[in-house]
Amino acid sequence: MPRFRIALLHVVLPLVLGSASYIVLRTWAPLIGVHAALWPHAPALVRDHFADAAWGWALGGFVAAMWVGESPKHRIVWTLAAAVVAACFELMQWRAFDAVDLVVQTSAVIVAGVMIGGKKRWTLENAAH
């Protein structure tokens, strides 16, 4: 899959869906007054963590798109670095820290990197060669 299609599908789409989830799943009172969520009774797991998962997937997709076709060692290192960046962003939210967000974001980065990179190309045995 070309980089442009990877970027569109795995970076732009998750960012759009994550942004839309604030309108659909949450109330947006600080920005535009009272605005009831379009799906006010969404499951808490979806309501509270979908945007974080989408952001993590977009980050993992971006890294995978940048390193597609490169050495598996480079892809693994950069995907893990992106997961650390995602974890740091969550850890820096000292008043709004959420352990589930930490797991969701970092897992989404890693899963996106592995899925986009392809199973065969991401094995550690291939990275050793």
Side-chain angles (χ1 to χ4, degrees):
M1 184 182 302
R3 287 182 191 196
F4 177 75
R5 286 187 64 197
I6 291 172
L8 190 61
L9 183 62
H10 295 285
V11 178
V12 175
L13 183 61
L15 290 176
V16 169
L17 291 174
S19 298
S21 74
Y22 283 97
I23 296 169
V24 174
L25 303 173
R26 300 179 184 194
T27 57
W28 209 338
L31 295 178
I32 57 175
V34 178
H35 173 84
L38 298 176
W39 186 18
H41 303 294
L45 186 64
V46 174
R47 183 186 63 241
D48 297 339
H49 307 294
F50 179 81
D52 297 298
W55 181 85
W57 189 275
L59 180 59
F62 175 77
V63 169
M66 292 295 100
W67 289 96
V68 71
E70 297 294 329
S71 159
K73 287 181 184 177
H74 287 106
R75 290 193 311 264
I76 291 169
V77 167
W78 282 103
T79 299
L80 292 177
V84 168
V85 168
C88 288
F89 273 108
E90 184 59 35
L91 291 170
M92 288 189 305
Q93 299 178 26
W94 57 279
R95 287 192 181 191
F97 172 75
D98 185 350
V100 176
D101 283 347
L102 179 65
V103 172
V104 166
Q105 285 177 355
T106 55
S107 297
V109 171
I110 293 169
V111 170
V114 170
M115 299 260 317
I116 296 165
K119 184 178 180 183
K120 182 179 178 192
R121 290 180 282 164
W122 280 82
T123 61
L124 291 176
E125 294 81 21
N126 287 343
H129 296 292

